[in-house]
Amino acid sequence: MAVKVSLLERLNQDMKTAMKNKEKTKLSVIRMLRSEIKNEEIQRQHTLSDEEVIEVLMRELKKRKDALQQFEEAGRDDLVQQLREEITVIEPYLPEQLSEEELRELVREVVQEIGASSKADMGKVMKAIMPRVKGRADGKLVNRLVQEVLS
């Protein structure tokens, strides 16, 4: 039977491998992630669970995706390439993301469960759906799909 390795242990193992293989980008991204996790542990005053580590990783991924969009618009190809590499390092540590179709189906289910009928119910739907997709879907995408279903 395979032993379940915590996300933090996996990051540490991958950091050592990146050091040995001289993978600079991967090494720097993992170090930054570990630093963010450590800062979060200091703030919360306890060792983070895998779910809490995923929250930190999602936050870091979101920062990069937002910055990526801005750099693409500004034509900063050098920074765009760097951010894409960072994103490809972070993504494997996150749970598999829901496809847009799976997400749309889930939104429809939640809208029916709640009995939402108009955009006025948007807050209720978002409140009900976000805990279900935590770590597996981008909030902006969820928001857009909820608006589509409610309109």
mmCIF file of all heavy atoms in Angstrom, residues 68 71 76-84:
data_model
loop_
_atom_site.group_PDB
_atom_site.id
_atom_site.type_symbol
_atom_site.label_atom_id
_atom_site.label_comp_id
_atom_site.label_asym_id
_atom_site.label_seq_id
_atom_site.Cartn_x
_atom_site.Cartn_y
_atom_site.Cartn_z
ATOM 1 N N LEU A 68 0.092 37.429 -15.284
ATOM 2 C CA LEU A 68 0.325 36.952 -16.648
ATOM 3 C C LEU A 68 -0.544 37.735 -17.628
ATOM 4 O O LEU A 68 -0.071 38.212 -18.659
ATOM 5 C CB LEU A 68 0.019 35.454 -16.728
ATOM 6 C CG LEU A 68 0.191 34.790 -18.087
ATOM 7 C CD1 LEU A 68 1.661 34.767 -18.485
ATOM 8 C CD2 LEU A 68 -0.359 33.378 -18.075
ATOM 9 N N PHE A 71 0.797 41.280 -17.987
ATOM 10 C CA PHE A 71 2.046 41.333 -18.752
ATOM 11 C C PHE A 71 1.810 41.048 -20.233
ATOM 12 O O PHE A 71 2.469 41.613 -21.088
ATOM 13 C CB PHE A 71 3.093 40.370 -18.183
ATOM 14 C CG PHE A 71 3.665 40.809 -16.859
ATOM 15 C CD1 PHE A 71 3.998 39.878 -15.883
ATOM 16 C CD2 PHE A 71 3.887 42.152 -16.575
ATOM 17 C CE1 PHE A 71 4.526 40.270 -14.660
ATOM 18 C CE2 PHE A 71 4.414 42.562 -15.358
ATOM 19 C CZ PHE A 71 4.729 41.614 -14.405
ATOM 20 N N ARG A 76 5.001 42.344 -22.389
ATOM 21 C CA ARG A 76 6.244 41.976 -21.703
ATOM 22 C C ARG A 76 6.497 40.481 -21.858
ATOM 23 O O ARG A 76 6.289 39.696 -20.934
ATOM 24 C CB ARG A 76 6.163 42.349 -20.217
ATOM 25 C CG ARG A 76 6.090 43.829 -19.912
ATOM 26 C CD ARG A 76 7.391 44.584 -20.240
ATOM 27 N NE ARG A 76 8.587 43.972 -19.684
ATOM 28 C CZ ARG A 76 9.096 44.254 -18.494
ATOM 29 N NH1 ARG A 76 8.514 45.122 -17.714
ATOM 30 N NH2 ARG A 76 10.201 43.646 -18.081
ATOM 31 N N ASP A 77 6.945 40.074 -23.041
ATOM 32 C CA ASP A 77 7.120 38.660 -23.357
ATOM 33 C C ASP A 77 8.115 37.959 -22.436
ATOM 34 O O ASP A 77 7.962 36.775 -22.136
ATOM 35 C CB ASP A 77 7.550 38.487 -24.822
ATOM 36 C CG ASP A 77 6.462 38.952 -25.783
ATOM 37 O OD1 ASP A 77 5.281 38.974 -25.378
ATOM 38 O OD2 ASP A 77 6.790 39.296 -26.930
ATOM 39 N N ASP A 78 9.137 38.691 -21.995
ATOM 40 C CA ASP A 78 10.130 38.096 -21.094
ATOM 41 C C ASP A 78 9.477 37.632 -19.791
ATOM 42 O O ASP A 78 9.709 36.516 -19.315
ATOM 43 C CB ASP A 78 11.257 39.092 -20.801
ATOM 44 C CG ASP A 78 10.730 40.441 -20.297
ATOM 45 O OD1 ASP A 78 9.585 40.814 -20.636
ATOM 46 O OD2 ASP A 78 11.472 41.127 -19.569
ATOM 47 N N LEU A 79 8.626 38.487 -19.219
ATOM 48 C CA LEU A 79 7.955 38.165 -17.967
ATOM 49 C C LEU A 79 6.820 37.155 -18.173
ATOM 50 O O LEU A 79 6.561 36.333 -17.292
ATOM 51 C CB LEU A 79 7.415 39.439 -17.307
ATOM 52 C CG LEU A 79 8.499 40.435 -16.858
ATOM 53 C CD1 LEU A 79 7.875 41.744 -16.430
ATOM 54 C CD2 LEU A 79 9.342 39.853 -15.742
ATOM 55 N N VAL A 80 6.190 37.200 -19.341
ATOM 56 C CA VAL A 80 5.119 36.255 -19.657
ATOM 57 C C VAL A 80 5.681 34.835 -19.631
ATOM 58 O O VAL A 80 5.106 33.935 -19.023
ATOM 59 C CB VAL A 80 4.487 36.576 -21.038
ATOM 60 C CG1 VAL A 80 3.636 35.423 -21.539
ATOM 61 C CG2 VAL A 80 3.655 37.849 -20.951
ATOM 62 N N GLN A 81 6.827 34.642 -20.275
ATOM 63 C CA GLN A 81 7.455 33.314 -20.329
ATOM 64 C C GLN A 81 7.813 32.824 -18.925
ATOM 65 O O GLN A 81 7.556 31.680 -18.571
ATOM 66 C CB GLN A 81 8.704 33.355 -21.223
ATOM 67 C CG GLN A 81 9.366 32.003 -21.402
ATOM 68 C CD GLN A 81 8.417 30.950 -21.970
ATOM 69 O OE1 GLN A 81 7.611 31.224 -22.845
ATOM 70 N NE2 GLN A 81 8.498 29.741 -21.446
ATOM 71 N N GLN A 82 8.379 33.698 -18.123
ATOM 72 C CA GLN A 82 8.767 33.343 -16.753
ATOM 73 C C GLN A 82 7.546 32.926 -15.930
ATOM 74 O O GLN A 82 7.573 31.924 -15.225
ATOM 75 C CB GLN A 82 9.476 34.513 -16.087
ATOM 76 C CG GLN A 82 9.924 34.207 -14.664
ATOM 77 C CD GLN A 82 10.477 35.435 -13.955
ATOM 78 O OE1 GLN A 82 10.826 36.430 -14.568
ATOM 79 N NE2 GLN A 82 10.542 35.346 -12.632
ATOM 80 N N LEU A 83 6.460 33.695 -16.035
ATOM 81 C CA LEU A 83 5.244 33.376 -15.281
ATOM 82 C C LEU A 83 4.629 32.062 -15.731
ATOM 83 O O LEU A 83 4.141 31.287 -14.910
ATOM 84 C CB LEU A 83 4.220 34.508 -15.408
ATOM 85 C CG LEU A 83 4.482 35.713 -14.516
ATOM 86 C CD1 LEU A 83 3.543 36.852 -14.857
ATOM 87 C CD2 LEU A 83 4.350 35.354 -13.055
ATOM 88 N N ARG A 84 4.664 31.796 -17.043
ATOM 89 C CA ARG A 84 4.126 30.520 -17.540
ATOM 90 C C ARG A 84 4.901 29.352 -16.952
ATOM 91 O O ARG A 84 4.316 28.331 -16.580
ATOM 92 C CB ARG A 84 4.190 30.475 -19.066
ATOM 93 C CG ARG A 84 3.100 31.291 -19.707
ATOM 94 C CD ARG A 84 2.855 30.903 -21.150
ATOM 95 N NE ARG A 84 1.738 31.665 -21.661
ATOM 96 C CZ ARG A 84 1.820 32.477 -22.708
ATOM 97 N NH1 ARG A 84 2.942 32.613 -23.361
ATOM 98 N NH2 ARG A 84 0.751 33.138 -23.104
#
